[in-house]
Structure formats: structure tokens, C-alpha cells
Amino acid sequence: MQILINEIRYWMKEAGEKIKHALSEEELTVDTKTSRKDLVTNIDKMIQEYLADQMLAFDPESKILGEENGHDQLKDLSGRVFIIDPIDGTMNFVLEQENFCIMVAVYEDGEGLLGFVYDVMEDRLLWGGRDIGVFLNEERVPVPADCPLSEGLLGMNASMYAQNAYNAQLMGDRSMGVRMSGCAGLELIDMALGKRIGYVSHLAPWDYAPGGVLIEALGMKMSSIYGETLKIDGRERFLAGTPAAYEEMLTLALQSKK
Ligand code: IPD
Ligand code: CA
Ligand code: CA
């Protein structure tokens, strides 16, 4: 497993260098996908192709589930699956040139084994898994305190909050405050680092799998908004938190059903 970890860390750093180079030297081509706020650039596609090429060269038997380049469907999760979000927070990437990350998860027979989230502009690589713990670059990340909702900041999807979906506003009121970064990976990094007690959103597998492996390795919880196991298949309403905050938010989400 150490060889696989070292390879992925190397690929992610290389991908980060490609992004920084592209930001300074190349013209960005921005296209829309499902709406005018759902963006993809030439760099997203190039980074996914680079990562997928390295993965398949390393392990030709493995499968790819990735947001771009027509790899966004995978029904058979048996064996080793690499899950890729080449740029998470593409809107931030285009408009801010920061607050985005590269994300990779390794799944084995449907179970999350390893997660990697690389905040390129801050050079912060969070990586790890259930059997090895979680690291920020070379430093081990301590298990965050199990804070209740009332003692921490809550990451939130803007439209779910605006619409009070699943009692999202009540969750926010009971927390110390709501934060919206536009980047699922950074929200999950912040949970791993003890800066957030939870995150409520609407996410695809490549949005939650990499950071999800990390927060679960630190004893935090994630599921669908109603507490079901995430399907790794299509977008789902997503809930994550410290064990205490998660239970409080799940209760509120379930109450919104009635
Ligand atoms: C998006 C971001 C955003 C989340 C969206 C995702 P993308 O990913 O993670 O925070 O709210 O649901 O689609 O499209 O920038 O990779
Ligand atoms: Ca994403
Ligand atoms: Ca993306």
C-alpha cells in the first residue's frame, strides 16, 4: 500500500504543478455543463486525463470513476476503483484562482481505502485512510474533538440553506455559524482539521469520496441527509459531522420529513 500512496502523492503534486503552470501560461477555456454555474475548463479535463493515465499505467486492472471526460458513471465497483475530481471548486478556480483542490479516492470492492485532497495554492495535501490515519503533508492529523453543533462552524450548501431544505436553517442557527466555501474538498479538509463540526450539501461521489475517507478515518460520520449509506452513484443530499453534531443534524433532517 505504501507504494500506491507514494505514487498518488507524486501524481497529485505533479497535477498541482500543471495547474499552477496553466494558470500563469495558458489560456483558460471555460464551458458550461448543466447550467451557467456548472463550469468545466480545459484544465479540469487535462488533469483528469493525466491522473487517469498514471492510474491505469500503474494498475491496468483498476477502474476510473471521474467527473470529466465521460467517466462519470460506473455501476460495477468491484476491485480497485480510482475516484477523481480533477478540480473541485471549478467556479473558485475560474473566478478566484484559489480555494480549489484536486481530489482522489481509492476504493476496494466498494469500500473507501485511501483519500487524497490537495489544496494546490496553499500546498496542503491531506491524505490517509482507516488503516493508516490522516496526514497533512508529513504531519499526522490528530482526531478532532467530538464537538456538538452548538460549539462549532457548519459548512453549508448555499441553495439548501436559502431554501431551508432539510431544516438547514435550524441546523445553522444551532451552530456557531454557517460557512460556504464553494468547494466540498476544502469543507471536508476543514472538518478533518477540526475547524468545522459538519457539512451539509448536495454532492456527487467524486465530491465526497476523497474527503469522506479522511473524515471517517478520524471518527467522523457521513451519510445521505437521512442517514442512509451513500451510494457512490449520482448526486445525493449529503450530511457529515462529528459524531455529536451528526446525530443532532440527522434528527433535524428527519424531522423535516414530517
Ligand atoms: C462542486 C463544489 C461545490 C459543491 C458542488 C460541486 P465542482 O464541485 O464542490 O462546493 O457545492 O455540488 O459540484 O463542480 O467544482 O467540481
Ligand atoms: Ca467537485
Ligand atoms: Ca470538478
Side-chain angles (χ1 to χ4, degrees):
M1 189 155 78
Q2 196 54 51
I3 294 171
L4 178 62
I5 292 169
N6 291 345
E7 288 289 318
I8 296 173
R9 289 182 64 188
Y10 177 76
W11 302 334
M12 294 193 76
K13 291 279 176 156
E14 286 287 295
E17 288 306 314
K18 287 177 190 295
I19 289 180
K20 282 194 258 183
H21 181 264
L23 276 177
S24 63
E25 304 286 332
E26 281 177 37
E27 197 159 317
L28 212 57
T29 309
V30 185
D31 291 315
T32 56
K33 295 197 281 185
T34 55
S35 72
R36 78 180 180 87
K37 295 183 185 175
D38 184 9
L39 306 182
V40 60
T41 74
N42 53 326
I43 314 297
D44 295 64
K45 293 176 188 169
M46 180 264 281
I47 293 297
Q48 182 166 314
E49 193 178 332
Y50 165 74
L51 290 172
D53 284 351
Q54 307 308 308
M55 290 158 177
L56 293 173
F58 177 82
D59 180 359
E61 304 291 304
S62 65
K63 301 176 193 131
I64 304 288
L65 174 62
E67 182 173 17
E68 314 299 349
N69 305 342
H71 288 287
D72 60 345
Q73 304 278 328
L74 186 64
K75 293 293 166 204
D76 177 10
L77 294 176
S78 63
R80 178 178 287 162
V81 177
F82 288 105
I83 303 179
I84 310 171
D85 191 338
I87 298 182
D88 181 49
T90 298
M91 183 68 83
N92 295 350
F93 173 66
V94 172
L95 297 181
E96 301 183 319
Q97 290 86 52
E98 62 179 351
N99 299 319
F100 63 87
C101 49
I102 306 170
M103 310 206 290
V104 167
V106 182
Y107 268 56
E108 300 267 7
D109 293 323
E111 297 280 320
L113 184 69
L114 296 169
F116 302 79
V117 180
Y118 184 33
D119 174 357
V120 174
M121 303 314 274
E122 295 294 325
D123 193 27
R124 294 188 302 164
L125 175 60
L126 268 276
W127 59 277
R130 194 185 48 206
D131 301 331
I132 55 172
V134 176
F135 297 81
L136 166 56
N137 296 329
E138 307 303 329
E139 299 288 317
R140 184 176 284 277
V141 172
V143 173
D146 183 14
C147 289
L149 198 48
S150 60
E151 290 180 16
L153 296 169
L154 178 59
M156 182 72 75
N157 171 284
S159 74
M160 287 173 74
Y161 190 63
Q163 292 163 24
N164 193 25
Y166 309 92
N167 271 332
Q169 290 174 4
L170 205 46
M171 294 177 196
D173 287 348
R174 291 192 185 173
S175 75
M176 289 296 274
V178 168
R179 297 290 182 269
M180 298 169 184
S181 70
C183 180
L186 293 184
E187 297 288 353
L188 294 171
I189 282 186
D190 279 345
M191 282 184 62
L193 297 177
K195 298 178 185 179
R196 299 276 185 277
I197 38 80
Y199 180 42
V200 177
S201 196
H202 185 206
L203 301 178
W206 43 84
D207 297 318
Y208 62 73
V213 169
L214 302 179
I215 62 162
E216 286 191 333
L218 291 166
M220 293 172 159
K221 301 183 94 171
M222 72 169 178
S223 68
S224 83
I225 195 85
Y226 290 141
E228 298 130 343
T229 303
L230 291 155
K231 296 190 184 73
I232 322 287
D233 183 20
R235 233 171 234 280
E236 288 180 77
R237 304 289 165 175
F238 174 90
L239 176 64
T242 62
Y246 172 88
E247 289 306 327
E248 291 172 78
M249 291 190 287
L250 179 59
T251 302
L252 290 173
L254 290 169
Q255 281 169 359
S256 76
K257 255 183 172 180
K258 293 172 190 157

